[in-house]
Amino acid sequence: MAIQLVKGTKDIFGAEVGIWQEIENKIRTICKTFGIEEIRTPVFEFTELFIRGVGETTDIVQKEMYTFTDDGNRSLTLRPEGTAGVARAYIEHGMHNNAQPTKLYYISPTFRCENTQAGRQRQFHQFGVEMLGSYSAAQDAEAISVASVLLEEMGIHGVELRINSLGCPDCRSKYNKTLKNFIGENLEKLCPTCKERYEKNPLRVLDCKETACQKIIADAPSVLDCLDEECTAHFEKVKAILDEMNIAYTVDPKIVRGLDYYTRTVFEFVSDGLTVCGGGRYDGLIEECGGKPTGAVGFGLGLERLIMILEKQQSDLHVSPLKDIYIGSMGEQGFLKAQAFTFALRKKGILAECDTVERSVKAQMKYANKLGVKYSLIIGDSELELGKAELKTMETGEKQEIMLNQLEAFFNK
Ligand code: ATP
Ligand code: MG
């Protein structure tokens, strides 16, 4: 029996690759405009980095990591998110010595051992941005604006930006107490996981997707009421800058995000109930990973989810671009020359195709039609002798005579 791909993974090929490339190109162009440089960190890191960086009580660390031991008995883990690796690299290469902020992005495979379902894979891809070296609300707004521009430029509609603030560790512990009191009164009604969360990290209960838990959470006290003066001012400033930028948002005090490292601002972009992008400020992370205290903010945007939304909203996604010309051939000399003409045109950037299967002329034309080309011609002995051929416009069937040595000029005009 043929071996199949692993559950939760996907081959990306054919017309879909075109969509990926378009998105990746957009991302690279946008990041360039925003002065964000690419970083490529390894696919695996020491497990310890993710335990420290992502947080022991998170779903990711508790049940979603692909962890293995290598021949040196080291515990390694496939990247379950991108921020921890970037934080490690920032410290390791002393990037804080450069002019700040350091603005980095990545497009990379990410691995989580989750139950697979629509929009949830075990290997998926994230576009992530991390901006390190600033505590200012302007940095939060700049990060948010990158994701906002990308979603806008992809032409998707109905995406909602939701923002919240979790405050600094002091506000957070104050809120944890308030929340614990509230949850304590309803403990019996919560799911088993949330009963555990109640002990270790009550904030995570707000993130639970179980209907029973959500019902209770609906009346939970708001974290925004527990923010101190500075954290409130920071959140107000983020909102004011977003207002100035004309980026619409709603404040949702229930957003906590799945990772433990967030402080102050957290945000999500949601489309049809599906979170396509999540991020926030993580001022404690660099210190947690062994660096100096450093303000930082970032987000992760799931590319599969982005494509899911695009596919739902845009029916013409899979159209592949037309090739410029098919150079068909007849006879041995024609076949040889077709290869040479095609190669010469390709070197000039013209999308040329020819027969490499040794098909009949009729089959070649059928193939050219399937391929989708703007023009075609056939080279045989007489065309070679006269140095000219009939160029057919595929859409109209119209034919015009063309000198074979004028082909390149024809496409470049
Ligand atoms: P969710 O609540 O949907 O599980 P999350 O909080 O775990 O999301 P993050 O860790 O913030 O998500 O990751 C950022 C983005 O990566 C998500 O918004 C989503 O678009 C994407 N993502 C996360 N997990 C998966 C997955 N298993 N498959 C595909 N995309 C994913
Ligand atoms: Mg998750």
Side-chain angles (χ1 to χ4, degrees):
M1 209 173 77
I3 296 168
Q4 295 179 329
L5 51 66
V6 177
K7 189 171 107 179
T9 66
K10 234 190 111 187
D11 297 312
I12 302 166
F13 64 100
E16 199 188 345
V17 167
I19 304 169
W20 282 83
Q21 290 173 343
E22 196 188 316
I23 294 174
E24 286 164 5
N25 289 341
K26 269 228 162 91
I27 288 173
R28 293 186 196 288
T29 311
I30 290 171
C31 284
K32 200 170 168 189
T33 349
F34 277 81
I36 309 168
E37 286 177 9
E38 185 176 3
I39 181 164
R40 302 187 186 196
T41 63
V43 163
F44 53 84
E45 301 266 2
F46 287 115
T47 304
E48 178 63 21
L49 175 70
F50 298 116
I51 295 177
R52 262 207 261 169
V54 180
E56 207 136 14
T57 62
T58 58
D59 283 355
I60 292 182
V61 169
Q62 289 203 338
K63 48 189 186 197
E64 296 175 359
M65 295 205 299
Y66 278 101
T67 296
F68 59 98
T69 308
D70 75 357
D71 58 0
N73 215 18
R74 288 170 283 252
S75 178
L76 306 176
T77 294
L78 299 185
R79 167 173 50 213
E81 59 88 56
T83 309
V86 172
R88 185 216 23 87
Y90 179 82
I91 300 163
E92 193 158 351
H93 305 293
M95 292 186 204
H96 65 276
N97 291 320
N98 306 336
Q100 299 297 298
T102 299
K103 300 192 279 187
L104 301 166
Y105 81 94
Y106 49 86
I107 302 173
S108 52
T110 309
F111 306 85
R112 293 186 195 173
C113 191
E114 296 197 72
N115 286 332
T116 54
Q117 47 182 283
R120 207 169 284 286
Q121 291 177 206
R122 293 186 166 180
Q123 173 174 340
F124 60 101
H125 297 78
Q126 270 193 0
F127 159 47
V129 167
E130 316 294 347
M131 298 177 161
L132 307 109
S134 167
Y135 288 95
S136 169
Q139 207 60 65
D140 308 37
E142 190 183 19
I144 291 172
S145 71
V146 179
S148 163
V149 163
L150 176 69
L151 296 170
E152 191 181 315
E153 288 206 0
M154 290 312 301
I156 61 177
H157 44 85
V159 193
E160 199 191 325
L161 166 61
R162 297 180 189 161
I163 62 170
N164 187 25
S165 175
L166 302 176
C168 60
D170 286 347
C171 302
R172 203 159 153 164
S173 76
K174 190 173 148 202
Y175 181 60
N176 267 330
K177 276 188 204 124
T178 314
L179 192 61
K180 220 166 163 176
N181 283 337
F182 171 81
I183 296 171
E185 291 163 18
N186 299 284
L187 201 57
E188 281 320 302
K189 295 178 207 151
L190 294 179
C191 75
T193 324
C194 279
K195 281 182 187 145
E196 238 173 76
R197 285 172 177 150
Y198 165 76
E199 292 299 336
K200 292 190 202 141
N201 192 353
L203 205 64
R204 305 226 34 78
V205 176
L206 293 185
D207 208 23
C208 186
K209 277 142 196 146
E210 297 287 330
T211 344
C213 300
Q214 285 198 339
K215 254 192 203 154
I216 293 159
I217 294 156
D219 301 319
S222 165
V223 60
L224 296 173
D225 295 332
C226 290
L227 299 190
D228 62 23
E229 219 171 288
E230 274 178 59
C231 290
T232 305
H234 182 95
F235 193 46
E236 289 307 314
K237 202 161 170 180
V238 173
K239 290 192 285 178
I241 299 171
L242 290 177
D243 288 337
E244 289 291 332
M245 288 173 156
N246 256 328
I247 295 176
Y249 59 84
T250 52
V251 174
D252 181 350
K254 296 283 163 10
I255 295 178
V256 294
R257 306 295 315 134
L259 311 168
D260 270 358
Y261 50 57
Y262 288 122
T263 49
R264 293 193 165 169
T265 319
V266 285
F267 59 90
E268 287 182 354
F269 286 85
V270 183
S271 168
D272 279 341
L274 201 62
T275 307
V276 60
C277 171
R281 178 164 276 285
Y282 50 92
D283 293 342
L285 181 66
I286 299 294
E287 208 179 353
E288 182 65 39
C289 294
K292 296 195 170 88
T294 305
V297 55
F299 66 77
L301 190 148
L303 296 185
E304 281 83 359
R305 295 219 185 145
L306 175 61
I307 290 171
M308 261 177 75
I309 299 167
L310 283 170
E311 281 175 340
K312 235 203 262 170
Q313 297 190 353
Q314 299 172 16
S315 50
D316 57 353
L317 259 190
H318 287 277
V319 182
S320 35
L322 282 182
K323 304 269 188 308
D324 292 319
I325 184 167
Y326 185 86
I327 301 184
S329 56
M330 209 164 25
E332 195 52 34
Q333 272 308 305
F335 183 76
L336 280 179
K337 289 291 180 193
Q339 314 299 317
F341 276 125
T342 303
F343 182 52
L345 291 179
R346 284 173 173 169
K347 281 201 283 189
K348 299 292 176 191
I350 295 155
L351 311 186
E353 289 292 327
C354 66
D355 174 38
T356 53
V357 184
E358 310 208 16
R359 292 183 166 103
S360 71
V361 175
K362 201 174 149 198
Q364 286 180 45
M365 286 305 118
K366 214 165 141 189
Y367 175 72
N369 265 320
K370 253 194 210 150
L371 210 55
V373 294
K374 291 178 208 153
Y375 299 96
S376 72
L377 53 71
I378 296 166
I379 306 175
D381 290 343
S382 66
E383 281 80 9
L384 288 174
E385 206 172 297
L386 299 169
K388 60 186 177 191
E390 275 194 328
L391 184 72
K392 181 173 162 188
T393 306
M394 298 299 269
E395 204 185 331
T396 58
E398 215 174 293
K399 286 183 176 167
Q400 58 182 304
E401 205 164 71
I402 187 161
M403 298 301 294
L404 290 175
N405 61 12
Q406 291 300 306
L407 267 176
E408 186 195 321
F410 175 81
F411 282 102
N412 283 332
K413 74 180 179 228

